[in-house]
Amino acid sequence: MTRRQPRRHTSVDGRPAQPDAVVIGAGIVGAAAAFHLAEAGHRVVVLERGAPNREGSGTTAGNLHIQAIHTRRPGQEVPVDNRRFLPLQRRASDLWSTIEERLEADVELRRNGGIMVAETAAQERELRHKQEMERAAGIPTELLTGDQAREALPLLSGTVRAATWCELDGYANPLLITPAYLAAAVRRGAEVHAFTPVTAIDRVEGTAGGYAVRSAERTWTAPVVIDAAGPWLGDVAELAGIPVEMAPVVIQMHATVRVPPVMRHLVQHIGEGLSVKQASAGNVLVGGGWPAQRRHDLAGLAGGRGRASLSSMAGNLAQASRVLPFLAELRLLRMWAGPLGATPDEMPVIGEVPGHPGFFVAGGTYAFTFAPLWGETLRNLVIGKPPPEPVGDLGPGRLLSGKAVDRSP
Amino acid sequence: MAEHEVDVDVAVVGGGPAGLAAALRLAGGGLRVAVIDEAGELGGQFYKRRAAPIAAAFGDFRPEGTALVQRVRAAAGIESLTHTLVWGAADDGGTLLTSDTRTGAAGRVTARATVIATGAFERTAPFPGWLLPGVVTPGFAMHLATMDRTPVGRRVVLAGTGPFLLPVACALLDVGVRVAELVEYNRPYRPRRDAFGALRHPARLREAAGYLLTLARHGVRIRQGWRVIAAHGDEERVRAVDIGPAGDAASRRVEVDALCVGFGFRPSTELARLLGCLTRPDPATGEEATAVDEDGATSLDGVYAVGECAGIAGVHAALVRGELAARAILRRLGREAPGTGAGGLAAARRRGRALDRFAALSERLYPVPADLATSLADETTVCRCEGVTAGEIRRAAGQGWNDIHGTKGATRAGMGPCQGRECGHLVAALAAPEGPLAFTARIPLKPVPVRTAMALGDLAEGDDAA
């Protein structure tokens, strides 16, 4: 791996200086990468097709999943490798702890802990198994009986027979964190170009290497390109002739009207896609990765986010109200759909593309929780330092569909 | 499982003049119709019904509305679903999701054609002091005076623009309010070439003259070309208002205990937009109105929009438009042969066009101030649900990263219980004048109980939302 140092920013022939890195996609991963690279002294340009934080990063639940991820989204065919996740979650948890100081911003970070409930005997067994795995990985969780769980959160229903408690679980406001990363990056010299779709990415000939990234009006040339386009990661890579296989889906969220503070914890379910929490403003947010309308799949998303599904709405709310009966008496204010840049194996993807030096991709599932880690990881990979956690097995090589075109000159 | 299932030929959403006229004609043609309205009684805003004790003591309000409602109530084939909120839709409008506004009971109305007659909202414009108690819209003051016989205050300034301010002033005088000033932003009540067109509408002229005469008899001063600058008061209520000539720093303070400010009406297009009907900017106001053809057909097959939601044109136009849409649906469903009553159809279309011309004239006489949003001081609250100021919206938009949706996310403007109905046009004007004119319409169109939403769990994927 070559070590890349920030270049001197001299302008030649009155033309604007070229960046050290072009980040494509101003979602949370792109914004975190931009911040960490700018902090390390790199000249960073962020190119965003629409408005920053408009897609998955701004529409996600905003959960910080520190206890093991055990649940599949409704319709999710492949489970995540939750054992592989644990060291990454542990590290991400530490990074989230200092994020507000680091970004000099209030992102409504709440680390009040989380409860993952079980309602059946089989789920309770799963919970015990999960807790042993967490203990081995150094994630502090505690097994609670149903009554202990209700003591911690009296709003839980009688159907809850056991739960795990993790003090590190929490949430942050998805509407604030990505703008905070971008603002901090801009303060360190990064440029953000919103409403600037990338139309072409070409390998630069000659010894300097790198890529020419074109929009309708301008071309940026940089030795490093970071493709953080979330669900469209594969489409952007395709512009550089790199066939990365992604499996994006569109999921939905629900918000009630504001109510006085009633719950401080994140509530999840070990057997079903469910997350419930009360946002700082007072709205209770209900999610769990339930699918939005199929006919508004990603291909139809170019001009919008898709539409929430009524059957998912009814299913998600019924399940949430079964676990937390007070929800049924609140009023539903809003629901929305948003894309999730999943991979076929449901694992994150991060790293340099084999055969395409300087071309990095980063995304995949649980990108919100992992964003601070992915930001630091990308910075280290770019400057040739070992990442905070090894990610060699999460590289894009596994998603290249064999037809990868090596466009090296 | 929905608790109320209604299947009809035509669902009419909104029981105001346009919806009622449509329903009567549809039922007359032999179709089964459901008229759905959130309120407890049909009539909409214009033909609002007085509660029985008030009607007994003070007489009927707009008797022609009472007669229309009675005809609808008596008509065979019309089911009146009052206290019923339409909060969502599926099947391109063929299925409407409802909620009983009293009990939250979930319901579903399925139909072969849908008439959207959702009316309009009053256009509010923030100014320093607009959140003080006692600062209300003219429509609210009118409601109190006409429905409850309750004066909104003892000494009131009525301000903004539009012909609506005249009947409101008269209604306030009728319940003993002292109307200290009528502050009209435009100068419609002086001879000008533009106004000659009104001579073709003698009935409308007589109506306006009648109001002006009443105001003159009570010595109400009409200031034309003036506006409200700021209101002053305390926690209890508004105490005074500064008014002055538009575009001039001079001002005059008037003591009041209530202040009514409104700048006409804005089409209520949420349901139409949720279904995906195309909208068009209203040429005079720049507001988004549902795009329709001469008979009210929207861009979506089987969905019609009539009355104010398709463009502000007043009650007479609403009645004609309701009738025309009903006849188009009757033809569509084979209940009226294309040639039938052709003379009547041509006459109704002619009348519709004439009333549209009158509406256009009215819009020329009472244009909405072009700087309604842009003149707002940074510290003035724009989104009152979430407490967001004009300055916060400008700063969020000023980053260059945000369109109207990004500005909503960055500031929370439009995220409250009114879902951006009140502030959406202002946020759009402040943040992204070139972009959409309103926030995206989504389900639920208005907040509904979670258990109402849960009750629709038996929806198959094929029934999924529009």
Side-chain angles (χ1 to χ4, degrees):
Chain A
M1 187 181 291
T2 51
R3 183 176 276 262
R4 296 182 185 86
Q5 295 297 340
R7 296 179 302 181
R8 289 179 184 281
H9 307 145
T10 46
S11 110
V12 182
D13 303 338
R15 287 159 63 196
Q18 291 297 334
D20 300 310
V22 174
V23 175
I24 302 170
I28 189 167
V29 173
F35 166 73
H36 286 290
L37 282 168
E39 197 184 41
H42 289 248
R43 197 182 125 91
V44 181
V45 166
V46 181
L47 304 180
E48 165 57 49
R49 180 186 65 177
N53 202 38
R54 265 286 279 152
E55 304 290 351
S57 302
T59 53
T60 187
N63 300 330
L64 305 182
H65 294 281
I66 310 305
Q67 60 179 303
I69 288 155
H70 209 85
T71 313
R72 298 190 200 187
R73 299 183 306 274
Q76 179 182 337
E77 284 170 16
V78 186
V80 303
D81 178 352
N82 50 21
R83 202 176 296 276
R84 174 66 185 93
F85 264 43
L86 286 169
L88 303 170
Q89 288 169 287
R90 173 76 250 190
R91 183 68 76 149
S93 174
D94 293 343
L95 296 174
W96 272 102
S97 307
T98 56
I99 210 159
E100 291 191 318
E101 293 152 45
R102 224 160 154 189
L103 300 181
E104 300 167 272
D106 176 2
V107 300
E108 293 177 3
L109 179 66
R110 301 288 179 267
R111 301 297 292 276
N112 297 327
I115 292 174
M116 188 176 287
V117 304
E119 292 182 291
T120 66
Q123 288 169 355
E124 191 175 340
R125 282 194 297 278
E126 286 286 311
L127 213 56
R128 288 179 192 281
H129 169 71
K130 176 181 87 78
Q131 206 254 337
E132 278 162 28
M133 202 170 65
E134 286 160 343
R135 189 164 39 196
I139 303 256
T141 52
E142 196 183 322
L143 202 61
L144 307 178
T145 64
D147 285 341
Q148 285 170 328
R150 276 180 292 277
E151 203 173 308
L153 181 58
L155 296 168
L156 287 173
S157 79
T159 62
V160 171
R161 52 183 289 154
T164 45
W165 160 256
C166 177
E167 64 183 23
L168 297 177
D169 278 355
Y171 41 93
N173 188 338
L175 297 172
L176 300 179
I177 178 70
T178 299
Y181 264 127
L182 289 172
V186 167
R187 287 197 298 274
R188 285 159 182 79
E191 286 174 26
V192 179
H193 297 276
F195 308 103
T196 306
V198 170
T199 54
I201 304 174
D202 297 312
R203 201 81 169 254
V204 175
E205 313 235 344
T207 49
Y211 299 85
V213 181
R214 300 178 206 286
S215 77
E217 275 135 33
R218 205 168 147 185
T219 299
W220 291 266
T221 304
V224 170
V225 170
I226 295 176
D227 173 1
W232 297 277
L233 185 154
D235 300 324
V236 168
E238 190 68 45
L239 294 175
I242 304 168
V244 180
E245 197 186 344
M246 297 289 286
V249 292
V250 186
I251 56 175
Q252 67 186 57
M253 285 293 300
H254 315 84
T256 72
V257 294
R258 289 180 181 221
V259 289
V262 289
M263 57 184 285
R264 305 169 62 240
H265 312 309
L266 172 66
V267 174
Q268 301 176 78
H269 198 291
I270 190 153
E272 304 171 14
L274 172 70
S275 84
V276 184
K277 64 193 171 284
Q278 186 169 21
S280 302
N283 313 80
V284 180
L285 305 183
V286 178
W290 287 62
Q293 282 184 47
R294 279 204 205 112
R295 66 168 157 159
H296 291 277
D297 62 3
L298 221 58
L301 264 186
R305 292 171 177 177
R307 295 236 190 191
S309 140
L310 289 171
S311 39
S312 284
M313 168 199 76
N316 201 175
L317 293 176
Q319 162 219 42
S321 303
R322 192 186 70 229
V323 173
L324 291 160
F326 82 103
L327 281 173
E329 302 312 312
L330 303 185
R331 280 188 305 153
L332 176 68
L333 171 65
R334 196 167 41 243
M335 61 177 179
W336 63 91
L340 166 64
T343 54
D345 60 8
E346 292 289 337
M347 294 300 283
V349 56
I350 185 160
E352 196 168 22
V353 178
H356 295 260
F359 197 101
F360 295 82
V361 300
T365 49
Y366 295 92
F368 191 85
T369 294
F370 290 137
L373 179 59
W374 294 162
E376 296 212 352
T377 300
L378 287 165
R379 177 203 58 205
N380 286 10
L381 293 176
V382 167
I383 66 180
K385 274 172 59 177
E389 285 290 329
V391 291
D393 58 324
L394 300 177
R398 71 184 201 277
L399 304 178
L400 298 180
S401 48
K403 305 172 299 212
V405 188
D406 186 351
R407 284 199 181 168
S408 51
Chain B
M1 169 100 194
E3 292 157 72
H4 300 291
E5 302 270 357
V6 176
D7 180 64
V8 288
D9 294 313
V10 186
V12 177
V13 184
L20 295 181
L24 263 187
R25 169 61 79 156
L26 288 163
L31 294 179
R32 291 169 305 119
V33 183
V35 182
I36 312 168
D37 202 289
E38 271 183 86
E41 180 52 284
L42 297 177
Q45 293 298 323
F46 192 81
Y47 289 146
K48 209 177 271 182
R49 318 304 327 126
R50 275 181 176 162
I54 302 279
F58 297 98
D60 199 7
F61 177 71
R62 291 182 178 152
E64 73 278 20
T66 307
L68 182 60
V69 170
Q70 277 167 355
R71 285 175 62 202
V72 168
R73 288 282 189 188
I78 301 182
E79 187 165 357
S80 298
L81 303 175
T82 51
H83 293 294
T84 303
L85 166 71
V86 171
W87 58 274
D91 306 329
D92 293 329
T95 301
L96 301 172
L97 310 178
T98 66
S99 168
D100 187 304
T101 54
R102 298 158 301 181
T103 64
R108 223 179 316 193
V109 178
T110 49
R112 298 154 73 194
T114 305
V115 177
I116 302 174
T118 44
F121 304 111
E122 290 187 278
R123 182 184 290 106
T124 52
F127 52 86
W130 76 293
L131 298 179
L132 286 167
V135 180
V136 301
T137 63
F140 178 70
M142 173 93 162
H143 173 92
L144 280 184
T146 56
M147 293 300 112
D148 302 339
R149 299 292 298 179
T150 301
V152 69
R154 283 187 298 274
R155 188 180 155 85
V156 175
V157 162
L158 190 58
T161 193
F164 183 54
L165 296 180
L166 300 180
V168 174
C170 293
L172 292 181
L173 292 171
D174 196 38
V175 290
V177 173
R178 166 128 192 253
V179 178
E181 309 258 358
L182 194 155
V183 181
E184 166 57 60
Y185 177 84
N186 291 296
R187 298 170 184 276
Y189 310 119
R190 54 184 56 178
R192 50 189 274 187
R193 188 187 293 268
D194 280 3
F196 290 160
L199 296 174
R200 293 208 199 113
H201 305 272
R204 302 289 81 73
L205 275 184
R206 269 199 304 280
E207 205 178 312
Y211 293 137
L212 289 167
L213 199 65
T214 304
L215 297 187
R217 216 168 45 235
H218 284 82
V220 174
R221 171 162 204 175
I222 302 181
R223 292 189 188 269
Q224 300 191 64
W226 279 46
R227 75 209 142 103
V228 165
I229 297 163
H232 308 278
D234 48 42
E235 283 181 0
E236 204 181 315
R237 65 185 307 116
V238 60
R239 303 286 180 192
V241 54
D242 294 338
I243 57 175
D248 193 325
S251 76
R252 183 172 175 276
R253 183 159 296 188
V254 185
E255 306 289 316
V256 293
D257 58 2
L259 169 64
C260 314
V261 188
F263 290 83
F265 297 92
R266 305 170 47 220
S268 170
T269 58
E270 292 76 18
L271 177 57
R273 286 189 289 121
L274 178 74
L275 295 179
C277 299
L278 293 181
T279 57
R280 53 171 176 79
D282 187 71
T285 61
E287 291 284 354
E288 193 165 42
T290 313
V292 289
D293 73 5
E294 188 169 40
D295 291 335
T298 68
S299 60
L300 204 60
D301 194 38
V303 178
Y304 295 75
V306 295
E308 308 288 67
C309 69
I312 306 299
V315 64
H316 304 284
L319 291 165
V320 175
R321 293 297 173 199
E323 166 99 16
L324 283 170
R327 295 186 63 160
I329 293 170
L330 288 170
R331 288 195 301 280
R332 176 194 173 84
L333 297 182
R335 297 301 177 119
E336 183 178 295
T340 313
L345 181 63
R349 284 175 172 166
R350 263 199 311 279
R351 183 158 158 71
R353 284 194 294 272
L355 289 161
D356 282 351
R357 281 195 297 275
F358 182 72
L361 169 68
S362 173
E363 282 168 351
R364 279 202 301 280
L365 291 178
Y366 303 94
V368 178
D371 63 350
L372 210 58
T374 50
S375 66
L376 290 173
D378 274 350
E379 59 275 16
T380 303
T381 297
V382 170
C383 167
R384 64 177 173 182
C385 294
E386 295 286 331
V388 184
T389 65
E392 289 170 294
I393 292 165
R394 288 193 178 107
R395 272 194 297 282
Q399 276 181 316
W401 300 349
N402 290 320
D403 52 11
I404 178 178
H405 310 292
T407 303
K408 176 181 177 178
T411 63
R412 297 188 65 84
M415 286 197 183
C418 94
Q419 296 167 317
R421 279 176 178 75
E422 284 221 28
C423 69
H425 66 296
L426 298 168
V427 176
L430 287 170
E434 308 301 318
L437 300 169
F439 296 120
T440 307
R442 292 208 194 99
I443 297 173
L445 288 168
K446 287 189 179 177
V448 286
V450 166
R451 69 191 140 82
T452 306
M454 278 159 51
L456 292 158
D458 56 339
L459 273 180
E461 191 67 23
D463 294 342
D464 233 327

